[in-house]
């Protein structure tokens, strides 16, 4: 490994993620000048030498690395000569003097054309500071960049710097040339979508008077539709873009048309009357930031983090909604080993993480695109009571490659709320269990209490209590030991019973639960109910940091296999009295105490990649999954053969 890569690994936790917007990190040259002190030569008219890392103190200069990488783009890609680039130019604000990180001049060497404000990846782009530099120097274009994302502002003269561009003009171009360029699928890039959304909130959404989540999702679906349609257009041309005229009203007309077509394509996501509520000016700013970001086929980890950020923290806390970390999901999927003709459901699907990872797991064994589409559109099901969560999960499934999905906005706990479409699709695929006894069967066809899914993966909401008598009356766990209806029951307890009813005899479950279920004496009746209905395959205790920064609640995952008919006596009691259970506790956390992900690195400090090319979390959950599979095969578990 060369000096540049070694030094980047010391400055950044994960260089490729922290510097996502740069294609090739090897284009800069870091060298050791004095012992343990590392430098880089800037590409500018002064050829400044900048110190970027001190091995003795361990102090690095991540902001300087971002600046040098952007200087490479300015000179190599946009063709600006270094003689027209100045670093740390003094900008006067009355008596106060500040320094602009990069200034690019017009050919006269005097008139500023572009001003670039640089931040480290862990810092948010300072839009207001950039605007102040632009106004002071009179430059028409400004860039705020932090390595993960960048914002480009321009002045639609005579207005202020309140609009965005998707790119900066090259050395021989002006703003009008950038606006006039046609865009194709090949022009899309993979950006940190969460950083882009944060920028949009600061620029317009927070002050637009409209719900940020709703407006962002309308634009995301319009863009998804455009990327999908571009596949069949000449040259794969994109329409989701700012108008070449630069007029906000024309941009709004284009995006409104795409949104109407997206609503028709995915009619179960939006109401027919839904409209984009942003003003033409605000919409133009958002489109300028989003138009070059790739959605279809993008890294799901990046998309996931952006969508979770969009869910308000207040709502997540009140409802106990916390997206399951993907490394936890991977362990669950590997341990339950879904097959290509098994129906999978998540009864609290959130961002569809369990469904997407089950899909990707099965896809590895499906050779054709048609087979993959058939599996995704037929065998994967999700329910969530929160409208925003269902929009997220549908979008994630679309981005992951599933054109159609069985994602329903409803309560898993109350079948009376289920839509006719949901009920009919269950019936069409024979997912409602049938019974020999006429009355039992008639009752089940009406109530849909017992369903026939093969696998259930879920992280039900922990917060909240159910007090509705009509709902509690439907559940065994809604009553106390004497059979009397309780006044209230914690929501996740009813989810345990409901989840068991969703799965057919012999079906498998993995459910995330609070630790108290497993060791509190007051929860013994819950444990007895579980053992009455299913064999406990495994219990895996998760590290306390797993759901940080949202919550420090201690959790475990219980893995179950519902008793087969031959395992029960005439009264429905299990005949197997004693059996081995796999227990494991996660020791290596994939998050630090602040909730930031920790990635695995090799001996040289390089981030280790998984088989899909994604950075690998530092975790022992994959070892736990492998140990369970080996143990399960020894035990003769049928689904692991």
């Amino acid at each position: 490994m060369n000096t540049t890569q070694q030094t980047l690994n010391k400055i950044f936790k994960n260089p490729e993620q922290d510097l996502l917007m740069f294609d090739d990190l090897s284009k800069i040259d870091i060298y050791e000048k004095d012992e343990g002190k590392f430098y880089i030569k800037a590409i500018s008219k002064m050829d400044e030498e900048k110190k970027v890392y001190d091995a003795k103190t361990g102090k690095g200069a991540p902001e300087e690395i971002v600046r040098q990488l952007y200087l490479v783009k300015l000179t190599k890609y946009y063709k600006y000569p270094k003689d027209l680039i100045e670093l740390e130019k003094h900008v006067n604000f009355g008596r106060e003097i500040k320094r602009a990180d990069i200034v690019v001049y017009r050919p006269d060497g005097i008139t500023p054309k572009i001003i670039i404000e640089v931040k480290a990846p862990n810092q948010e782009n300072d839009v207001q500071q950039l605007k102040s530099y632009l106004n002071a120097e009179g430059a028409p274009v400004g860039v705020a960049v932090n390595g993960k994302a960048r914002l480009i502002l321009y002045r639609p003269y005579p207005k202020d710097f309140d609009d965005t561009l998707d790119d900066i003009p090259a050395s021989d171009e002006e703003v009008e040339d950038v606006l006039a360029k046609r865009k194709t699928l090949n022009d899309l890039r993979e950006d940190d979508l969460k950083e882009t959304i944060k920028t949009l909130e600061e620029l317009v959404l927070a002050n637009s008077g409209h719900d940020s989540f709703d407006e962002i999702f309308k634009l995301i679906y319009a863009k998804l539709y455009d990327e999908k349609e571009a596949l069949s257009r000449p040259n794969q041309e994109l329409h989701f873009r700012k108008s070449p005229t630069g007029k906000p009203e024309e941009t709004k007309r284009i995006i409104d048309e795409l949104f109407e077509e997206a609503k028709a394509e995915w009619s179960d996501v939006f109401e027919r009357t839904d409209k984009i509520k942003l003003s033409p000016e605000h919409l133009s700013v958002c489109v300028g930031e989003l138009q070059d970001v790739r959605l279809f086929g993008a890294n799901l980890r990046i998309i996931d983090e952006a969508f979770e950020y969009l869910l308000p923290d207040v709502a997540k806390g009140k409802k106990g909604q916390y997206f399951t970390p993907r490394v936890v999901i991977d362990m669950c999927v590997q341990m339950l080993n879904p097959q290509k003709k098994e129906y999978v459901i998540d009864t609290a699907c959130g961002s569809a993480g369990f469904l997407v990872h089950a899909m990707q797991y099965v896809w590895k064994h499906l050779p054709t695109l048609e087979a993959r589409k058939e599996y995704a559109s037929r065998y994967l099901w999700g329910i969530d009571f929160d409208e925003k969560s269902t929009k997220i999960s549908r979008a994630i499934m679309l981005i992951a490659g599933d054109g159609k999905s069985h994602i329903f906005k409803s309560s898993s706990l109350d079948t009376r709320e289920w839509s006719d479409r949901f009920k009919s699709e269950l019936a069409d695929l024979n997912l409602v269990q049938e019974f020999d006894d006429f009355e039992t069967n008639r009752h089940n066809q009406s109530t849909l209490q017992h369903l026939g899914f093969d696998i259930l993966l879920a992280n039900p909401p922990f917060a909240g209590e159910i007090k509705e008598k009509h709902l509690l009356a439907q559940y065994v766990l809604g009553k106390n030991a004497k059979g009397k209806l309780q006044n209230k029951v914690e929501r996740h307890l009813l989810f345990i019973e409901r989840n068991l009813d969703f799965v057919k005899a012999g079906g498998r479950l993995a459910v995330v639960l609070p630790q108290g279920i497993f060791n509190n004496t007051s929860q013994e009746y819950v444990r007895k109910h579980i053992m009455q209905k299913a064999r406990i395959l495994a219990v895996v205790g998760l590290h306390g940091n797993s759901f940080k920064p949202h919550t420090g609640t201690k959790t475990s995952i219980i893995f179950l296999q519902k008793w087969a008919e031959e395992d029960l006596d005439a009264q429905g009691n299990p005949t197997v009295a004693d059996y081995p259970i796999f227990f494991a506790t996660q020791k290596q956390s994939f998050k630090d105490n602040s909730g930031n992900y920790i990635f695995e690195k090799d001996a040289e400090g390089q981030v280790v990649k998984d088989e899909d090319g994604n950075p690998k979390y530092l975790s022992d959950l994959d070892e736990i999954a492998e140990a369970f599979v080996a143990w399960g095969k020894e035990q003769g578990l049928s689904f692991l053969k």
Side-chain angles (χ1 to χ4, degrees):
M1 188 185 302
N2 61 34
T3 301
T4 296
Q5 188 62 59
Q6 287 178 337
T7 308
L8 290 177
N9 288 336
K10 292 172 182 175
I11 297 173
F12 301 97
K13 287 183 178 180
N14 184 352
E16 290 186 2
Q17 290 294 108
D18 290 337
L19 302 169
L20 183 66
M21 62 168 288
F22 300 111
D23 297 329
D24 188 356
L25 304 185
S26 67
K27 289 182 178 178
I28 57 173
D29 181 26
I30 299 174
Y31 53 90
E32 187 175 12
K33 183 178 178 183
D34 304 315
E35 186 177 355
K37 295 181 180 179
F38 296 83
Y39 294 81
I40 190 169
K41 184 163 285 189
I43 306 173
S44 67
K45 63 183 180 182
M46 300 299 292
D47 287 330
E48 297 99 325
E49 190 174 53
K50 299 290 184 181
K51 182 179 174 182
V52 294
Y53 184 70
D54 189 322
K56 185 176 181 180
T57 63
K59 187 176 181 180
E63 184 176 317
E64 190 61 54
I65 297 297
V66 175
R67 175 159 65 176
Q68 299 306 321
L69 285 166
Y70 202 79
L71 286 170
V72 171
K73 286 180 74 79
L74 284 171
T75 54
K76 303 296 185 185
Y77 182 77
Y78 296 104
K79 306 299 182 184
Y80 284 101
K82 69 176 186 177
D83 292 344
L84 295 179
I85 298 174
E86 183 178 357
L87 305 187
E88 298 172 27
K89 181 187 184 300
H90 286 192
V91 180
N92 294 308
F93 296 92
R95 294 182 178 180
E96 186 180 8
I97 297 177
K98 293 186 177 181
R99 293 187 294 184
D101 292 316
I102 305 173
V103 176
V104 180
Y105 292 95
R106 293 189 179 279
D108 62 11
I110 299 172
T111 309
K113 181 179 179 180
I114 305 172
I115 295 178
I116 297 102
E117 175 64 17
V118 180
K119 295 292 182 186
N122 62 350
Q123 296 177 307
E124 293 187 14
N125 286 322
D126 193 334
V127 178
Q128 296 308 316
Q129 185 170 316
L130 175 62
K131 285 184 176 181
S132 68
Y133 289 157
L134 293 170
N135 285 317
E137 293 295 304
V141 177
V143 182
V145 57
N146 68 359
K148 290 184 176 181
R150 59 103 182 94
L151 166 72
I152 302 173
L153 295 177
Y154 85 102
R155 183 199 296 270
Y157 195 81
K159 297 181 179 179
D160 290 330
F161 291 95
D162 288 331
D163 210 342
T164 54
L165 286 174
D166 69 301
D167 204 356
I168 63 171
S171 62
D172 59 348
E173 293 178 333
E174 295 297 332
V175 168
E176 293 73 21
D177 298 308
V178 175
L179 289 170
K181 287 180 183 177
R182 293 180 180 273
K183 296 290 181 179
T184 70
L185 285 175
N186 287 333
D187 294 319
L188 298 181
R189 63 177 189 272
E190 194 163 278
D191 262 9
D192 190 321
L193 184 59
K194 183 169 83 171
E195 293 296 318
T196 301
I197 291 171
K198 281 183 176 180
T199 300
L200 292 180
E201 285 189 320
E202 181 180 356
L203 282 173
V204 298
L205 293 172
N207 300 312
S208 70
H210 304 296
D211 186 292
S212 295
F213 179 97
D214 288 341
E215 296 310 300
I216 282 287
F217 255 81
K218 290 169 188 173
L219 297 182
I220 283 175
Y221 272 92
K223 182 161 173 48
L224 280 171
Y225 177 79
D226 185 48
E227 289 185 27
K228 173 177 169 289
E229 290 298 299
L231 289 168
S232 56
R233 293 183 191 135
N235 301 318
Q236 297 188 334
E237 185 177 347
L238 295 164
H239 295 170
F240 188 100
R241 51 168 295 185
K242 293 171 81 84
S243 167
T245 66
K247 295 179 179 178
E249 294 78 12
E250 181 63 18
T251 297
K252 182 167 174 57
R253 183 190 64 77
I254 295 169
I255 305 305
D256 280 344
E257 287 179 3
L258 285 173
F259 180 59
E260 289 301 316
E261 292 168 353
K263 285 196 306 182
E265 178 76 9
W266 300 303
S267 57
D268 57 341
V269 178
F270 295 97
E271 299 292 335
R272 283 188 297 175
T273 55
D274 281 345
K275 303 286 184 185
I276 294 173
K277 297 178 181 178
L278 295 173
S279 68
E281 291 75 18
H282 285 165
L283 179 62
S284 181
V285 172
C286 293
V287 172
E289 275 296 279
L290 286 171
Q291 70 180 50
D292 280 0
V293 177
R294 179 180 300 281
L295 292 181
F296 267 124
N299 187 319
L300 290 178
R301 180 182 295 170
I302 294 171
I303 301 292
D304 242 6
E305 289 179 0
F307 287 175
E308 182 166 17
Y309 169 78
L310 271 172
L311 269 185
D313 286 336
V314 174
K316 284 185 281 194
K318 284 183 178 178
K319 298 173 183 176
Q321 288 174 284
Y322 302 109
F323 291 178
T324 313
R326 276 29 193 168
V327 64
V328 174
I329 290 173
D330 282 335
M331 177 192 70
C332 295
V333 171
Q334 185 178 347
M335 289 171 68
L336 291 190
N337 192 30
Q339 299 300 302
K340 62 182 180 181
K341 291 193 176 181
E342 290 187 315
Y343 288 92
V344 180
I345 190 164
D346 182 348
T347 51
C349 65
S351 65
F354 280 119
L355 301 179
V356 168
H357 284 243
M359 177 177 74
Q360 293 174 328
Y361 182 88
V362 173
W363 272 6
K364 292 176 182 177
H365 308 289
L366 297 177
T368 67
L369 180 61
E370 283 305 310
R372 290 181 170 191
K373 283 187 175 181
E374 160 70 12
Y375 173 77
S377 63
R378 181 183 180 95
Y379 291 98
L380 300 172
W381 295 63
I383 310 171
D384 203 288
F385 65 91
D386 182 73
E387 182 177 1
K388 291 181 177 179
S389 291
T390 54
K391 284 184 178 178
I392 285 175
S393 54
R394 285 168 177 155
I396 286 274
M397 293 296 283
L398 287 170
I399 290 168
D402 168 25
K404 178 179 179 291
S405 60
H406 298 285
I407 305 289
F408 298 94
K409 177 194 171 296
S410 197
S411 168
S412 294
L413 299 178
D414 193 351
T415 61
R416 296 177 309 170
E417 295 183 8
W418 293 4
S419 67
D420 290 339
R421 178 184 156 226
F422 186 9
K423 294 176 181 178
S424 66
E425 289 187 15
L426 287 170
D428 290 345
L429 293 174
N430 299 316
L431 288 171
V432 182
Q433 285 192 38
E434 295 189 353
F435 296 87
D436 293 334
D437 180 76
F438 177 80
E439 280 302 319
T440 303
N441 190 60
R442 184 185 64 80
H443 181 264
N444 194 58
Q445 300 304 311
S446 172
T447 62
L448 305 180
Q449 179 181 351
H450 299 283
L451 301 178
F453 285 91
D454 298 282
I455 293 175
L456 183 145
L457 299 139
N459 177 11
F462 296 168
E465 296 172 331
I466 302 297
K467 299 177 182 179
E468 294 90 340
K469 299 295 183 185
H470 72 273
L471 192 53
L472 292 173
Q474 300 176 35
Y475 290 87
V476 173
L477 296 180
K479 307 172 185 69
N480 61 24
K482 296 181 180 179
K484 185 178 179 181
L485 208 61
Q486 301 192 69
N487 292 324
K488 59 184 179 181
V489 175
E490 291 173 282
R491 187 192 307 273
H492 62 270
L493 298 184
L494 297 190
F495 260 99
I496 292 173
E497 181 176 341
R498 191 73 189 101
N499 286 340
L500 286 163
D501 287 340
F502 262 93
V503 175
K504 69 181 185 182
R508 313 182 301 278
L509 303 89
V511 184
V512 183
L513 293 171
Q515 188 63 41
I517 292 290
F518 302 95
N519 49 30
N520 289 353
T521 55
S522 62
Q523 305 289 306
E524 184 180 1
Y525 75 105
V526 179
R527 296 191 289 273
K528 285 184 176 179
H529 180 80
I530 292 172
M531 292 186 286
Q532 176 82 8
K533 296 290 183 179
R535 171 182 174 173
I536 300 175
L537 297 169
V539 177
V540 177
L542 298 180
H543 194 281
N545 290 349
S546 296
F547 288 92
K548 287 184 177 179
H550 308 297
T551 179
T553 301
K554 287 190 175 182
T555 56
S556 292
I557 304 174
I558 190 168
F559 295 82
L560 305 169
Q561 185 168 26
K562 200 166 177 181
W563 294 117
E565 290 183 14
E566 58 266 27
D567 297 323
L568 302 173
D569 61 21
Q571 287 72 44
N573 298 310
T575 56
V576 182
D578 193 18
Y579 55 86
I581 299 173
F582 179 93
F583 287 97
T585 302
Q586 179 191 1
K587 297 295 185 184
Q588 176 60 62
S589 177
F590 49 83
K591 286 184 178 180
D592 61 23
N593 290 334
S594 299
N596 299 310
Y597 282 105
I598 306 169
F599 295 98
E600 185 177 335
K601 293 188 176 184
D602 60 22
E604 295 181 317
Q606 185 82 6
V607 174
V608 176
K609 301 289 184 66
D610 62 21
E611 59 185 21
D612 298 317
N614 293 316
K616 191 176 180 182
Y617 296 113
L618 183 62
S619 170
D620 53 2
L621 292 181
D622 52 348
E623 297 172 19
I624 290 174
E626 290 168 3
F628 171 80
V629 170
W631 174 86
K633 288 179 178 179
E634 290 177 2
Q635 297 297 318
L637 297 179
S638 59
F639 61 91
L640 293 176
K641 290 180 180 178

